[in-house]
Amino acid sequence: MSTRSTGDGTAMVMNKPALKALLMERRALIEPEQYGLARPTGQGRRAQGLSQQQVDELTARALHTYGRLETGRYPHPPVDYLRQVARLFRLNEQEWTSLCRYAGIGDPPAPLSTVSGLEVPGVWQEVVDGIAHMAYLTDASWNLLAFNEPLAAFFAGRRIPGNMMRWILLDPDGRETLLDWDTAWAPAVLPQLRAALAVRPDDETLLRIAREAARDPDLRPLWEAGGAAVHPDGDERPVRHPRHGPGYFTICAAQPMTAPGSRLVILIFRTEARKPHDRIPMLRARAVP
């Protein structure tokens, strides 16, 4: 295996066997005829799908470029080339992540497709419905995809927002409901908007929210100041519950594996009198003999 250093001193390792297995399996599924190419008939040709040379032809690369990648002799393949191969082989987002990791570059800097993260399997609605705490699922643009009954009851008149980012930052109801909005909420959420735009710079929904934030007199200083928070997982923030009054949300966040940028968010509410979750010990696996 070959290694590649990262900026923080850690090393990313190329997993040659896994890389070869993934690429060979996916290459075998692509028929040359789909691209107007003939199937090689030489005696040495027994593998199904595209030949290595045909991959070079279709990606407009020098001869043997793909062969070097598949056999692990391309130690630092550029992301744009990996993206070409991934799209040619019709990889899904999980396979795209695996390809980048196996090639030694770590997690991909952006989704494989511009529509990735905008839809999730319908079974996620059942998952959200089965959660006792308030829970919702958003796509990569922070549009609401699914929510459960406890979350619906949280909003006055059950006026459920279409986009959670916009509700938190720009909706008057959000600013009133989310206590200490200007110090506990907006400074933590705006960097998440920046982070999302870094991955999806052409996302019209996110761009529209960013333009509104830049014009808003309360948000403009915070937007210009930047910030480092990129996810809410584990945060505790003050909120006014419509039934229970002032309290805190403990925010737990996760991501469906097939939809980069989407988020499952679980909001655990407690009143000020209850024990803060940040005092609960961390979960760690017991030593295995």
Side-chain angles (χ1 to χ4, degrees), residues 28-239:
L29 299 178
I30 307 301
E31 300 297 337
E33 293 84 355
Q34 298 177 30
Y35 294 96
L37 301 175
R39 185 181 300 276
T41 57
Q43 291 184 346
R45 171 68 179 178
R46 289 183 173 83
Q48 296 180 335
L50 292 170
S51 68
Q52 294 183 355
Q53 184 174 342
Q54 286 172 331
V55 176
D56 289 332
E57 182 179 347
L58 291 170
T59 55
R61 300 283 173 160
L63 188 63
H64 304 309
T65 299
Y66 175 77
R68 290 171 54 219
L69 176 67
E70 189 175 285
T71 57
R73 293 180 291 111
Y74 198 156
H76 306 302
V79 173
D80 64 331
Y81 177 55
L82 292 178
R83 188 182 299 277
Q84 274 188 298
V85 173
R87 287 177 172 168
L88 178 63
F89 291 179
R90 301 170 186 169
L91 302 190
N92 60 35
E93 292 296 338
Q94 290 174 281
E95 292 167 334
W96 165 235
T97 298
S98 295
L99 174 61
C100 290
R101 290 176 178 176
Y102 295 161
I105 69 168
D107 287 340
L112 182 60
S113 169
T114 56
V115 300
S116 296
L118 299 183
E119 60 181 17
V120 299
V123 69
W124 277 96
Q125 180 64 66
E126 295 184 43
V127 173
V128 173
D129 287 337
I131 297 173
H133 300 287
M134 286 177 273
Y136 65 88
L137 179 65
T138 63
D139 64 16
S141 302
W142 286 63
N143 295 313
L144 198 63
L145 297 179
F147 57 89
N148 62 5
E149 178 58 29
L151 185 84
F154 173 75
F155 293 101
R158 299 175 67 89
R159 294 189 298 271
I160 303 163
N163 184 283
M164 294 302 294
M165 172 78 75
R166 194 181 191 290
W167 184 80
I168 293 170
L169 292 177
L170 297 161
D171 193 297
D173 288 341
R175 296 187 182 192
E176 183 178 347
T177 302
L178 306 174
L179 302 180
D180 297 336
W181 173 86
D182 58 337
T183 57
W185 289 89
V189 175
L190 280 173
Q192 295 174 52
L193 175 57
R194 285 190 181 276
L197 278 170
V199 177
R200 308 176 68 87
D202 300 321
D203 189 301
E204 283 300 327
T205 299
L206 297 175
L207 287 170
R208 191 180 311 114
I209 296 172
R211 288 193 292 267
E212 292 184 59
R215 291 193 301 263
D216 186 277
D218 296 318
L219 289 174
R220 186 186 308 117
L222 298 172
W223 178 252
E224 294 174 351
V230 295
H231 68 75
D233 192 33
D235 285 357
E236 291 209 347
R237 299 180 195 160
V239 64

